[in-house]
Amino acid sequence: MTTDHRTHARVAVVTGGSRGIGRAVCERLAQNGLAVVVNYARDAAAAKETVATITAAGGRAVSVQADVADENAVTALFDRAEQEFGGVDVVVNAAGRLALSPIADLDLEVLDAVLRTNLRGTFVVAQRAARRLRAGGSFVAFSTSVVATRFPAYGAYVASKGAIESITLILARELRGRDITVNTVAPGPTATDLFLDGKGPEQIEQLAKAPPLERLGTPQDIARVVAFLTSSEGHWINGQILRANGGMV
């Protein structure tokens, strides 16, 4: 394993860490020597699988349930991280919700649910991270490259993610003087259950050919970006939106 040279063992909290990109991030950060708190909303079994994979490889991890939009639950999540591992150095908010619908047809209750998880959830996790991260730490949020490509039917999702991009530099500037970075990763089409759900083979093939590299991204592609941003090598990058999408807009 490779590790950053710090005066203490580094600790990461990853929301949405039981599946997809979140799970890949958990596993990659553990490979880099961080202890990982794997947050999940509902799928306890998948979170335990993530922990088991990490510990089997010699890493340290625990799973903790919390709704990212619930400030009390997120506070308890950070409390658990500090109790288990002594502090928090990296926070990655990978939890998210996707709903596809033309704007004219969207059920407003669905809109509320998307905004609650994606926007309020990110805000709550960022708020707690700002209060708890140690010097030298990093916060990474998630957006989507659809903020730029503006595909039809993504109105609710893009509305939630565009707001996240807007607050990235604001939070970075608010943390001036604390040696903490704040960045947002905006993946393009990535082969996760969330992305593939409801799409036919032709649509998936079309999206795979959109980037000049002519393939879907993988969760591991995105996890490598997060690992760099949260490492000492990536610490000069701050307040940025990184479109990890193989060359799309």
Side-chain angles (χ1 to χ4, degrees), residues 187-205:
T190 305
T192 65
D193 291 341
L194 183 69
F195 170 78
L196 296 173
D197 184 43
K199 295 182 175 68
E202 291 184 3
Q203 186 179 10
I204 292 171
E205 183 178 2

Side-chain angles (χ1 to χ4, degrees), residues 34-60:
L34 281 75
V36 181
V37 178
V38 180
N39 162 255
Y40 66 97
R42 290 176 296 276
D43 197 341
K48 289 180 180 178
E49 288 178 8
T50 305
V51 170
T53 299
I54 291 170
T55 56
R60 297 183 297 155

